């Protein structure tokens, strides 16, 4: 097995484990506002995308030093893997809940794991191909997503993707007035 394939398998396992743990870190931290930046603060689709994005971003940072020499298109490939994974979760969730009329936790969890595998597989296929793109574009995309996650954690738009279906609210449920 080649170095890239080994790294991608390890990355998928790492993302699945860390993403699962990040589901609980905000509450476990007693709703620490710094932890809220990279952990799910509610049950919205948007907040669950953090569980995928931040572990994959960490995998990119680690892998950049380990794989870059073997895959010059590493950064672009992994960025497209993240975007594909996030799009899969969004499209799959709204499609299946639109058809059956409700969310099923088991399906949501399974779709997270499928999204991770899909994103890591896509990144692997791109890394082992002649695919080329600018690292500047990849970094710009990653930074834009990162900024959106942080900003929308504390200033949440009233759009369906940000709505917590359990509490029927948006963003951090904790009263933000207490922090002022």
């Amino acid at each position: 097995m080649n170095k890239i394939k080994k790294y991608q398998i390890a990355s998928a396992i790492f993302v699945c484990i860390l993403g699962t743990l990040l589901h609980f870190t905000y509450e476990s931290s007693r709703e620490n506002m710094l932890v809220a930046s990279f952990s799910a603060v509610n049950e919205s689709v948007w907040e669950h995308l953090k569980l995928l994005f931040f572990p994959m971003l960490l995998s990119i940072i680690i892998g950049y030093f380990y794989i870059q020499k073997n895959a010059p298109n590493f950064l672009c490939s992994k960025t497209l893997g993240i975007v594909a994974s996030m799009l899969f979760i969004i499209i799959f969730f709204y499609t299946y809940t639109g058809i059956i009329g409700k969310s099923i936790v088991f399906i949501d969890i399974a779709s997270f794991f499928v999204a991770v595998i899909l994103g890591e597989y896509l990144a692997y296929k791109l890394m082992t191909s002649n695919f080329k793109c600018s690292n500047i574009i990849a970094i710009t995309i990653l930074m834009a997503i990162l900024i959106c996650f942080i900003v929308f954690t504390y200033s949440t738009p009233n759009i369906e993707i940000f709505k917590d279906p359990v509490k029927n609210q948006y963003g951090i449920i904790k009263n933000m007035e207490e922090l002022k």
Side-chain angles (χ1 to χ4, degrees):
M1 191 181 309
N2 68 39
K3 189 174 185 176
I4 296 171
K5 185 182 278 186
K6 284 180 189 176
Y7 185 79
Q8 286 304 101
I9 291 169
S11 178
I13 294 167
F14 171 78
V15 171
C16 287
I17 292 169
L18 184 56
T20 300
L21 293 174
L22 284 178
H23 190 275
F24 307 102
T25 52
Y26 176 65
E27 283 185 18
S28 296
S29 73
R30 297 185 201 159
E31 299 181 350
N32 180 288
M33 296 308 282
L34 178 62
V35 174
S37 297
F38 57 86
S39 300
V41 300
N42 65 38
E43 295 298 320
S44 71
V45 173
W46 178 259
E47 290 297 317
H48 280 80
L49 292 175
K50 286 181 182 179
L51 308 180
L52 181 97
F53 177 78
F54 285 100
M56 283 185 137
L57 181 63
L58 188 54
S59 173
I60 288 174
I61 294 166
I62 294 166
Y64 186 80
F65 299 102
Y66 182 71
I67 296 293
Q68 181 65 29
K69 294 174 191 163
N70 300 88
N73 59 0
F74 174 80
L75 190 57
C76 290
S77 299
K78 292 291 272 187
T79 300
L80 286 174
I82 288 177
V83 171
S85 295
M86 291 172 61
L87 288 173
F88 174 81
I89 287 175
I90 294 166
I91 293 166
F92 182 80
F93 178 82
Y94 286 111
T95 300
Y96 100 81
T97 58
I99 292 169
I100 67 172
K102 65 179 182 174
S103 159
I104 299 171
V105 174
F106 174 76
I107 294 175
D108 296 340
I109 293 168
S111 72
F112 168 75
F113 294 118
V114 169
V116 170
I117 293 166
L118 173 79
E120 297 292 8
Y121 180 74
L122 174 64
Y124 169 75
K125 291 306 267 183
L126 291 172
M127 277 187 259
T128 56
S129 73
N130 293 326
F131 169 73
K132 291 183 173 122
C133 84
S134 165
N135 282 345
I136 305 248
I137 293 170
I139 291 168
T140 302
I141 290 168
L142 291 172
M143 291 304 297
I145 295 169
L146 176 68
I147 290 166
C148 286
F149 276 125
I150 293 170
V151 168
F152 294 154
T153 294
Y154 305 104
S155 181
T156 310
N158 288 339
I159 300 171
E160 189 65 26
I161 195 169
F162 298 100
K163 187 175 185 180
D164 179 345
V166 175
K167 299 199 176 174
N168 206 29
Q169 296 181 13
Y170 298 86
I172 296 178
I173 307 303
K174 186 178 185 178
N175 185 353
M176 296 298 287
E177 291 299 316
E178 294 174 12
L179 302 172
K180 292 182 181 177

